[in-house]
Amino acid sequence: HLPKRRIRAQSTPQLKTQFLIHHKIMSTTPTENPPANANEGCVGPTSQSAGKASACAGCPNQSACSSGAFSSPAALAAKEKERAELRNALSNVTHVVLVLSGKGGVGKSTVATQIAQTLSSRNYSVGLLDVDICGPSIPRMAGVLHREVHQSQSGWEPVYANANLAVMSISFLLEEGDAAVVWRGPRKNGLIKQFLTETDWGVGGLDYLIVDTPPGTSDEHISIVQYLNDARSDGGDSSNIHNKSGASGAIVVTTPEEVSMSDVRKELNFCKKTKVPVLGIVENMSGLQIRVSDLKFFQDGADESSECTSRAMEMLKEKCPEVLSMMAAAEVFPPSGFGPKGMAEKFNVPYLGKLPLDPNLLKSCEEGVSFVDTYGSSPAASPLNDIVDKLIIALPVEDDEEEGEDVDMRP
């Protein structure tokens, strides 16, 4: 696959943004779409019967809807202005992929980062947007820690991990890397809107925008889905591939045990309710796979004093050298029932495959490098490539034959 040509806008003198967002952060606008926490049969907050219909009884939004705050001329005008800003900002983004999981700690950011790295290695133009406002880990995993976002005439300039991978995160806006972001929902929502409307992904745009989200189904998820719907959906046009959802689709990440899957099922139901297509489920940390030659051996227990790796390796070399090149595997998280694959079948969504626990995958994220490029023979490299292959098949990017050779125009 050959990429479309991406031409970067020239940057004005670099300005440290820090918290340029602060004065704008509360500027969210009510949505005309039914809120994600609305009752079944919601008539929509801009309807004349909003807050008064029988379906509104007991809805947490009933009071706001019945007040007319969503349907006043001023509110509707503000909403249309917001929608126009979002559409303009994302008009040159071909596909937006959400990476979701109801559970924290399942490797969602790892999957998001390495999918983005792999796509960029294949010459696709990729954006990686970190909307985990309180726990941004993408900059470290993408190898752009301690970098800064700068302002140009066309908006915020994202940070580049390589010629094809642009990264945006709140981490770039913090004066201290370990500073806690203690914000309520409206401020988070305002920042997400600014990321979507003010990030300059370049004149040529993006083939894929990968969005890493926090765990759960909270404010960030509701906001990103609604903003994308405003920017990219076209409910009245059945020929538009985004007519039901502004997101092109979601990749849902889980580990094999029930503690994780029980929360991931909630995420799948969130996708169903918000009409976000599920591109597939990734079963992460599906057993440990490691070469025997990379194992450590212990005589008794696992403390350093009982390590006997050298002696064990000498024994293997002497008596059974062929074992050293074999792979050792162990189930770290025993699957529950039919596991993530069975869950995918139950929800009638694709199963993208298993990613084993692989020390080199962790290493890649710590070092901020592309796993498949740096550790191509590692156990998880082939499964990760397979997952990216399936993503490209589900969301293809057409070549523009009229465009010329690649030129790196990063500022």
Side-chain angles (χ1 to χ4, degrees), residues 126-160:
V126 185
L128 181 56
L129 177 59
D130 186 359
V131 298
D132 191 345
I133 306 300
C134 296
S137 52
I138 291 297
R140 176 179 293 279
M141 292 184 174
V144 289
L145 200 61
H146 306 308
R147 302 271 290 277
E148 295 177 1
V149 169
H150 300 103
Q151 193 86 349
S152 76
Q153 290 177 336
S154 52
W156 287 345
E157 297 284 353
V159 172
Y160 277 79

Side-chain angles (χ1 to χ4, degrees), residues 139-260:
R140 176 179 293 279
M141 292 184 174
V144 289
L145 200 61
H146 306 308
R147 302 271 290 277
E148 295 177 1
V149 169
H150 300 103
Q151 193 86 349
S152 76
Q153 290 177 336
S154 52
W156 287 345
E157 297 284 353
V159 172
Y160 277 79
N162 61 53
N164 294 325
L165 178 56
V167 183
M168 191 64 182
S169 170
I170 190 177
S171 179
F172 302 137
L173 305 175
L174 299 174
E175 291 187 9
E176 297 292 334
D178 294 329
V181 179
V182 188
W183 288 357
R184 294 187 185 275
R187 296 190 74 187
K188 292 180 182 179
N189 298 346
L191 179 59
I192 291 170
K193 176 187 168 187
Q194 282 190 271
F195 278 161
L196 292 174
T197 58
E198 298 183 25
T199 303
D200 173 24
W201 300 111
V203 175
L206 300 173
D207 295 321
Y208 297 94
L209 176 59
I210 309 296
V211 182
D212 182 46
T213 64
T217 54
S218 56
D219 289 326
E220 292 93 328
H221 304 80
I222 296 169
S223 294
I224 193 75
V225 169
Q226 290 183 340
Y227 288 141
L228 289 174
N229 286 347
D230 287 342
R232 292 160 54 83
S233 65
D234 187 357
D237 182 2
S238 59
S239 66
N240 190 320
I241 61 171
H242 304 299
N243 64 322
K244 291 186 178 180
S245 172
S248 304
I251 292 175
V252 182
V253 183
T254 186
T255 47
E257 78 283 5
E258 177 59 23
V259 170
S260 173

Side-chain angles (χ1 to χ4, degrees), residues 222-298:
I222 296 169
S223 294
I224 193 75
V225 169
Q226 290 183 340
Y227 288 141
L228 289 174
N229 286 347
D230 287 342
R232 292 160 54 83
S233 65
D234 187 357
D237 182 2
S238 59
S239 66
N240 190 320
I241 61 171
H242 304 299
N243 64 322
K244 291 186 178 180
S245 172
S248 304
I251 292 175
V252 182
V253 183
T254 186
T255 47
E257 78 283 5
E258 177 59 23
V259 170
S260 173
M261 291 199 301
S262 62
D263 286 340
V264 171
R265 287 194 290 270
K266 297 179 179 69
E267 196 76 49
L268 291 168
N269 282 317
F270 170 83
C271 291
K272 184 178 180 181
K273 185 170 185 178
T274 55
K275 296 183 173 62
V276 175
V278 176
L279 300 171
I281 293 174
V282 172
E283 182 179 345
N284 196 26
M285 306 185 200
S286 178
L288 171 67
Q289 292 186 21
I290 187 171
R291 293 196 180 278
V292 172
S293 58
D294 293 331
L295 289 171
K296 285 187 175 182
F297 293 84
F298 297 87

Side-chain angles (χ1 to χ4, degrees), residues 1 95 97 99 110-124 126 208 210 251 279-282 351-355 361 370-373 380-397:
H1 178 92
H95 297 299
V97 179
V99 181
T110 297
V111 170
T113 303
Q114 291 304 327
I115 284 177
Q117 292 269 26
T118 305
L119 286 168
S120 72
S121 295
R122 299 187 188 187
N123 285 330
Y124 290 100
V126 185
Y208 297 94
I210 309 296
I251 292 175
L279 300 171
I281 293 174
V282 172
Y351 176 71
L352 297 180
K354 300 179 179 182
L355 278 178
L361 181 54
S370 169
F371 170 63
V372 297
D373 290 340
S382 180
L384 180 59
N385 269 319
D386 289 344
I387 289 168
V388 173
D389 288 342
K390 291 173 183 176
L391 170 62
I392 293 170
I393 291 171
L395 300 175
V397 175

Side-chain angles (χ1 to χ4, degrees), residues 33-50:
N33 300 317
N37 61 344
N39 290 350
E40 291 292 335
C42 175
V43 296
T46 59
S47 168
Q48 292 295 321
S49 57

